[in-house]
């Protein structure tokens, strides 16, 4: 009796289960990769993916395909409704394919986000992937190629000029799948798995946060936060929290993209270099020239390139059209941010929420506060700006340097100025060329 019980326990096999029910992209690749790592830790006998996807990026589909082709456990793909485009490529890489009644697989031509078929070089690459994947698993390579290319002649399976899409019964007849099923239990029975130990991947809160942050809408809002924070920091020097906001938004933008394998070190460095060039243009280099233009270009490119996979500016590995979409998201978000700052900027800075971050109490002399002011009358005195006034900076009058604020908003270093107002410890100056007669 004890021997029978031990034999039953020894025969029990482990099936590790995970899902792919979204577009094939960085998020799904990350989940599949983590799931497979857990399956290996548990020494699972089978690695099973339940699939319902309309496709996605070829490079991430190829990563999942490669993982399945080289997997140590036996691999199962259970098509529960759809395995279109990149989903078909992934399914063909598994050892066993099962399809739910009413499901379909195929239509794997490479298309852009608008659904338009891409040029031949993209189709050729996809045909090669499909063909080699089918051959690796002993499936009909010509059928796999017909999923991509409508010119492949298969009169028994499709009309001339149409790409191949198969129902469960057709895929079974073509010997591409093992069986048509209605549940995971049907799969286990077909594989003679008697009460297998089923473990599955459970998404963590980090997975949900990352998936939320890489949403293009959220990425656009974070870009607006970056630009808005920098804008307010330049408009209200010394406050500091606006710069902190920009840094937080930048971290939330880049961190999930880096974890997903999209943002590379050089792309983040490109963005940082752009910000440095802009800062140099604003605070060090007078006027607006090469540094400022390069800074804007580097910032836009750093943000855009980080949103999609590329091999050092080789974008063939990404889904066609994503590069243009990335630039549209970044540039659109920046323009919208600037427009909103111009329209609402002053109102925001005067709002009660904004003022919580700014010292509002007056330091009156009755409370014991004193202020150091120039003891001589400097009204209408002329001098020279020693630093750029944007609008504050340093001026020199009669050999003495003072802090001053430009009433014109911007005065270059070395320009002649005169003192128009003197309030408390602040000197307010204008260019002598604009002095009223």
């Amino acid at each position: 009796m004890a021997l029978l019980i031990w034999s039953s326990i020894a025969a029990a096999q482990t099936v590790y289960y995970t899902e792919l029910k979204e577009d094939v992209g960085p998020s799904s690749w990350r989940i599949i990769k983590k799931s497979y790592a857990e399956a290996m830790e548990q020494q699972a006998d089978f690695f099973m993916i339940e699939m319902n996807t309309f496709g996605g990026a070829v490079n991430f589909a190829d990563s999942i395909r490669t993982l399945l082709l080289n997997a140590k456990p036996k691999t199962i793909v259970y098509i529960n409704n759809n395995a279109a485009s990149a989903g078909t490529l992934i399914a063909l890489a598994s050892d066993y394919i099962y399809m739910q009644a009413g499901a379909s697989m195929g239509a794997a031509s490479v298309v852009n986000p608008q659904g338009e078929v891409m040029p031949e070089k993209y189709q050729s690459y996809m045909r090669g992937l499909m063909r080699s994947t089918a051959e690796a698993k002993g499936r009909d390579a010509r059928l796999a190629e017909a999923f991509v290319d409508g010119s492949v002649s298969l009169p028994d399976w499709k009309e001339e000029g149409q790409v191949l899409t198969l129902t469960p019964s057709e895929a079974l007849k073509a010997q591409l799948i093992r069986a048509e099923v209605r549940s995971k239990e049907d799969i286990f029975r077909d594989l003679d798995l008697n009460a297998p130990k089923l473990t599955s991947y459970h998404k963590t809160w980090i997975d949900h946060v990352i998936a939320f942050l890489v949403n293009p809408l959220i990425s656009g809002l974070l870009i607006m936060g970056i630009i808005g924070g920098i804008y307010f920091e330049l408009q209200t020097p010394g406050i500091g929290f606006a710069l902190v906001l920009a840094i937080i938004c930048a971290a939330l933008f880049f961190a999930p993209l880096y974890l997903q394998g999209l943002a590379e070190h050089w792309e983040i460095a490109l963005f940082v270099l752009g910000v440095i060039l802009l800062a140099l243009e604003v605070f060090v280099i007078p006027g607006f020239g090469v540094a400022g233009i390069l800074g804007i270009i580097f910032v836009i490119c750093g943000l855009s390139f980080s949103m999609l996979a590329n091999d050092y500016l080789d974008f063939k590995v990404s889904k066609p059209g994503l590069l243009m979409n990335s630039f549209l998201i970044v540039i659109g978000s920046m323009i919208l941010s600037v427009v909103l700052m111009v329209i609402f900027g002053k109102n925001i800075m005067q709002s009660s929420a904004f003022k919580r971050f700014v010292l509002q109490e007056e330091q009156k002399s009755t409370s014991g506060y004193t202020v150091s002011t120039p003891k001589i009358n400097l009204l209408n005195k002329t001098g020279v700006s020693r630093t750029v006034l944007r609008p504050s900076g340093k001026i020199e009058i009669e050999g003495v340097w003072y802090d001053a604020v430009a009433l014109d908003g911007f005065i270059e270093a070395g320009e002649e100025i005169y003192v128009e107002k003197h309030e408390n410890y602040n000197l307010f100056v204008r260019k002598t060329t604009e002095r009223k007669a």
Side-chain angles (χ1 to χ4, degrees):
M1 182 66 178
L3 181 59
L4 290 175
I5 294 175
W6 171 252
S7 298
S8 175
I9 294 174
Q13 292 184 293
T14 301
V15 177
Y16 192 96
Y17 167 84
T18 190
E19 294 181 344
L20 200 171
K21 295 186 176 181
E22 57 185 321
D23 285 348
V24 179
S27 179
S28 56
W29 163 234
R30 180 173 176 274
I31 297 300
I32 295 297
K33 186 166 54 174
K34 289 182 66 177
S35 299
Y36 182 74
E38 287 189 6
M40 293 300 295
E41 288 177 4
Q42 298 176 14
Q43 298 182 336
D45 301 291
F46 292 86
F47 181 66
M48 178 178 179
I49 300 174
E50 183 172 344
M51 177 185 296
N52 182 13
T53 181
F54 288 103
V58 174
N59 61 312
F60 291 106
D62 184 41
S63 296
I64 299 174
R65 174 196 83 108
T66 303
L67 182 147
L68 294 181
L69 288 176
N70 298 320
K72 292 183 179 180
K74 290 292 184 180
T75 55
I76 305 168
V77 167
Y78 170 30
I79 302 173
N80 187 354
N81 205 17
N82 292 298
S85 190
T88 301
L89 175 65
I90 294 169
L92 290 175
S94 65
D95 295 309
Y96 306 109
I97 305 175
Y98 292 89
M99 294 180 71
Q100 174 99 359
S104 63
M105 67 181 296
S109 296
V110 183
V111 297
N112 62 20
Q114 289 72 44
E116 300 167 341
V117 177
M118 295 301 294
E120 170 58 22
K121 66 176 182 178
Y122 295 99
Q123 311 306 331
S124 176
Y125 179 72
M126 189 64 172
R127 281 199 303 269
L129 281 180
M130 297 288 282
R131 190 168 55 247
S132 64
T133 304
E135 289 175 350
K137 293 298 180 179
R139 297 186 173 100
D140 191 329
R142 191 165 177 78
L143 282 170
E145 193 173 5
F147 285 130
V148 179
D149 191 350
S151 66
V152 176
S153 180
L154 292 172
D156 293 338
W157 299 104
K158 68 181 186 68
E159 294 182 10
E160 196 70 26
Q162 294 184 350
V163 294
L164 181 63
T165 300
L166 297 178
T167 65
S169 59
E170 291 170 339
L172 181 60
K173 183 179 178 182
Q175 298 181 346
L176 290 180
I177 68 173
R178 185 176 172 96
E180 178 181 339
V181 297
R182 294 188 176 276
S183 65
K184 293 190 290 291
E185 287 69 27
D186 289 346
I187 296 175
F188 300 152
R189 281 191 291 270
D190 182 74
L191 292 174
D192 294 326
L193 298 178
N194 183 25
K197 179 183 177 183
L198 183 64
T199 59
S200 61
Y201 181 82
H202 298 285
K203 287 187 177 181
T204 65
W205 66 271
I206 296 177
D207 296 326
H208 291 291
V209 169
I210 290 177
F212 173 76
L213 291 176
V214 297
N215 183 292
L217 175 61
I218 303 303
S219 295
L221 293 175
L222 291 173
I223 292 170
M224 291 178 63
I226 295 170
I227 304 303
I230 294 174
Y231 172 86
F232 280 126
E233 185 65 25
L234 294 178
Q235 290 295 310
T236 53
I239 289 180
F241 92 96
L243 181 60
V244 172
L245 172 65
I247 292 173
I248 291 174
C249 288
L252 292 175
F253 177 84
F254 283 109
L257 295 174
Y258 181 81
L259 293 174
Q260 298 279 45
L262 289 177
E264 300 289 343
H265 292 98
W266 69 270
E267 293 165 335
I268 299 173
L270 188 66
F271 168 78
V272 173
L273 178 59
V275 173
I276 293 173
L277 287 174
L278 286 174
L280 290 174
E281 187 70 30
V282 171
F283 296 110
V284 179
I285 306 172
F288 192 82
V290 176
I293 294 172
L294 286 177
I296 292 173
I297 293 173
F298 287 174
V299 166
I300 292 175
C301 290
L303 293 170
S304 300
F305 294 161
S306 296
M307 296 176 70
L308 73 162
N310 67 91
D311 185 11
Y312 290 99
L313 303 182
D314 181 0
F315 299 98
K316 293 195 295 293
V317 297
S318 293
K319 188 176 181 180
L322 287 184
L323 178 60
M324 181 60 68
N325 284 357
S326 296
F327 273 103
L328 289 176
I329 291 172
V330 172
I331 296 174
S333 299
M334 294 178 72
I335 292 174
L336 181 58
S337 178
V338 171
V339 171
L340 291 176
M341 293 306 103
V342 171
I343 296 174
F344 301 108
K346 291 184 178 179
N347 292 332
I348 292 174
M349 286 188 283
Q350 295 300 321
S351 67
S352 58
F354 185 90
K355 289 181 178 179
R356 291 194 186 102
F357 297 96
V358 185
L359 180 63
Q360 295 294 313
E361 294 184 359
E362 295 185 28
Q363 297 176 336
K364 300 179 180 179
S365 58
T366 55
S367 301
Y369 292 100
T370 60
V371 62
S372 175
T373 60
K375 295 181 179 180
I376 59 175
N377 183 13
L378 297 177
L379 282 177
N380 296 316
K381 291 279 188 179
T382 60
V384 178
S385 59
R386 287 306 180 189
T387 65
V388 178
L389 276 65
R390 302 175 184 265
S392 60
K394 299 284 187 180
I395 63 171
E396 181 182 351
I397 299 176
E398 298 177 349
V400 180
W401 285 40
Y402 301 96
D403 291 322
V405 178
L407 291 171
D408 301 313
F410 181 91
I411 298 177
E412 297 280 4
E415 292 199 43
E416 288 190 1
I417 53 87
Y418 75 97
V419 179
E420 183 171 301
K421 289 195 301 181
H422 180 187
E423 296 179 357
N424 295 330
Y425 57 90
N426 288 325
L427 299 179
F428 294 88
V429 302
R430 291 187 190 275
K431 300 176 185 178
T432 55
T433 55
E434 298 181 7
R435 189 168 191 168
K436 296 179 182 178

